[in-house]
Amino acid sequence: MTSRTLLRLALAGAVAAGGLALAPPVTASPQSAAVPHSTIPVRLLTINDLHGNLETPSGSSGRITDENGVVVEGAGGVARLATKIKELRTRNTMLVAAGDLIGASPLVSAAYHDEPTLEILDRLGLRASSAGNHEFDEGYAELQRLMKGGCHPTDGCSPAGEWEGTSFDFLAANVLKEGSGRYALPPFYVKSVNGVKVGFIGLVTQTTPTIVTAEGIKGLRFTEEVEAANKVSRFLARRGVKAQVVLVHEGDQVTQGQSPDACPVVEGAGSRIAKNLDPQIDLVISGHSHQAYICRTTDPAGQPRYYTQGSSFGRVLTQIDLQVDRRTRDVVRSTVTADNHVIRPTITPDAEIAAAVATWKERSAAVANRPLGRITADISNAVNNTSPQLANPETPLGNLIADSQLAAAQPAGAQVALMNPGGIRAPLTYAQSGSEGDGVVTYGEAFTVQPFGNIVQVRTYTGAQLKALLEQQVWSVAANGTVTHRILQVSSSLTYTFDTTKPVGSRVSDIKINGTPVTDGQSVRIAANNFLMGGGDGFTVFTQGTDLWSGPIDLDAFGAYLTAHSPVAPPATGRITFVK
């Protein structure tokens, strides 16, 4: 059977110590007449990191390089994605995903807690997805509600009425409930295709606790991905499910501008997982890093194994074709092929899905179109990471957001504000996005920039702790010259020098607040969002502060600042002096 009910019953007693509980075999549902061949063709269509982008994303988020090296503008949009899915769908096709389908979403989806995106994914026929870290943004209870149904406990029902839940599950074989060790989410999904069973094992990056608010993952434990997947793989194999696919929300980086069908990747956590999974696992579909690649690695038994990812925001649909041997019930590895299709703006949108998106956009318009203030020019969050000489992680928009949080935290005596760059999801553009007029920033546009709904908080630290916090920032250069960094955006009150040529732990110097040097023993009130205050992005020093104060939602602070200082010019960079 393929229903989620049977799978949940099969795993109801699963615990970390005892492995997977025994359950009745997963049996095949009735199928049509068998085809007269020794193998069964199966096609997988996959997406990842949609982040609720129902419409074509704007700016760089809608840009991707195609197979011919041509930069495609305006890629994506679920109505065009739907058309491509229908074009490629055959008799034995399954649509699956690798996480972050929701969370950090545009307002058209987020205004109603991503129910619009989940409704449309159901219409597209999504069978299963691994959980991503962003699926936990609003907490485990909310993720359960989205899967099972019911109205939001605070905001109530959307204009569409009571939410019915999804017909697919988010899977996570490496997320356990604290205490009991039981699976927090179903670890796998099995589908029978013409008499052969294909199993999908879900995984989410084990780093989730460092990139999601503490409240979002409260009561959950995230374990190492390979060990968790291998345990489920062995269970499935014993139950006759030999064709196995891992959906993992973890991936690698690539050289910018390469073909979406190209390899290699800059090997990282994604490659580690793809190489070390049990040889029984035939294919790895990844996400999280927002890259497009088609790679082949080898499993621990030396067999070839495909490892793919399909970019983000609905810009790419991955097609994977394979044959399953009727006798062995396993994938014939030599038959596996994969192709990343760019969702081009020339694709005719599917009329039904386009109408559904338009309905949700109309429902959210009253909120989205409210003006907050004006800007005098584009305010960018873009960073050039192609070489150490060109990279400058301090951005005008990052500085502006830090300034807004400092202003909001003044009642608590804040002297400095710091902002995580990963929480800034889009630039502010001067050109109008609708009919509001050039330079006008609407609530919807501001929401696109900061969609997480984090709270501005303040704690007290010593000067030595401020330095230790800044030393936790990341700057590294790969062999190909690509720069990886995690540099906090700073308010205008803070200046310092960051010397990338020095060893980690001794890179920060000349820290000043409003021009006055900071001493190790002095007290400093620092403002940041609750994600950072909980130690997010690896900034554990944030958790060492005292005298916690909680203020407004970060988006409200940003909107109030834009209103009070309108028109706002792009802030100058240079608050951080980088030595490269």
Side-chain angles (χ1 to χ4, degrees), residues 394-431:
E394 182 188 350
T395 68
L397 186 52
N399 287 350
L400 176 60
I401 291 172
D403 287 343
S404 73
Q405 294 187 3
L406 179 61
Q410 291 289 310
Q415 300 160 272
V416 168
L418 299 170
M419 175 63 189
N420 55 309
I424 307 171
R425 308 301 288 192
L428 282 179
T429 55
Y430 179 79

Side-chain angles (χ1 to χ4, degrees), residues 121-346:
L121 289 172
D122 261 338
R123 293 192 188 202
L124 296 182
L126 184 66
R127 292 287 187 177
S129 175
S130 66
N133 53 284
H134 281 287
E135 266 75 37
F136 296 93
D137 280 349
E138 293 192 51
Y140 175 65
E142 172 64 1
L143 180 54
Q144 290 289 94
R145 180 191 75 85
L146 289 172
M147 289 195 296
K148 296 178 180 179
C151 295
H152 190 272
T154 302
D155 296 336
C157 294
S158 80
E162 182 171 355
W163 174 242
E164 296 182 356
T166 59
S167 60
F168 64 90
D169 276 325
F170 287 102
L171 312 176
N174 65 324
V175 183
L176 307 175
K177 293 182 178 179
E178 289 282 9
S180 70
R182 293 178 182 271
Y183 287 103
L185 297 168
F188 67 81
Y189 167 80
V190 175
K191 172 66 176 175
S192 184
V193 181
N194 277 12
V196 296
K197 291 178 286 238
V198 181
F200 298 88
I201 302 169
L203 299 169
V204 61
T205 173
Q206 65 178 318
T207 67
T208 295
T210 71
I211 52 178
V212 174
T213 61
E215 191 64 28
I217 48 89
K218 185 177 180 180
L220 303 177
R221 180 160 62 91
F222 293 76
T223 66
E224 195 276 324
E225 303 95 343
V226 172
E227 182 180 357
N230 288 351
K231 181 184 295 185
V232 177
S233 173
R234 291 190 292 271
F235 173 82
L236 291 176
R238 290 195 301 268
R239 313 308 288 174
V241 183
K242 300 296 181 67
Q244 298 181 8
V245 178
V246 158
L247 307 172
V248 55
H249 192 70
E250 183 61 278
D252 291 329
Q253 299 295 322
V254 301
T255 301
Q256 294 301 307
Q258 74 178 34
S259 164
D261 293 327
C263 205
V265 294
V266 179
E267 293 196 2
S271 290
R272 172 185 62 80
I273 295 167
K275 289 180 178 180
N276 291 301
L277 289 167
D278 192 281
Q280 184 64 65
I281 294 167
D282 300 290
L283 175 66
V284 181
I285 296 166
S286 68
H288 189 49
S289 58
H290 290 209
Q291 305 298 318
Y293 48 78
I294 302 291
C295 289
R296 285 210 308 175
T297 186
T298 53
D299 66 23
Q303 302 177 85
R305 179 156 61 197
Y306 268 89
Y307 165 47
T308 71
Q309 188 176 166
S311 185
S312 59
F313 308 147
R315 292 175 292 178
V316 166
L317 177 66
T318 306
Q319 172 190 342
I320 303 170
D321 289 299
L322 53 89
Q323 301 278 334
V324 180
D325 189 290
R326 283 183 177 277
R327 181 179 59 83
T328 66
R329 294 171 290 175
D330 206 349
V331 173
V332 180
R333 296 277 181 97
S334 62
T335 67
V336 180
T337 61
D339 188 13
N340 273 333
H341 299 276
V342 172
I343 305 303
R344 301 173 181 274
T346 53

Side-chain angles (χ1 to χ4, degrees), residues 509-572:
S509 63
D510 196 28
I511 304 173
K512 295 178 181 178
I513 296 177
N514 295 320
T516 302
V518 173
T519 63
D520 285 350
Q522 77 176 79
S523 294
V524 182
R525 292 285 278 170
I526 300 177
N529 61 50
N530 61 303
F531 166 71
L532 285 174
M533 286 293 185
D537 274 348
F539 290 103
T540 57
V541 175
F542 268 114
T543 65
Q544 300 171 13
T546 59
D547 301 322
L548 176 67
W549 173 88
S550 293
I553 298 293
D554 53 6
L555 180 58
D556 292 340
F558 188 44
Y561 190 87
L562 289 171
T563 301
H565 296 82
S566 184
V568 176

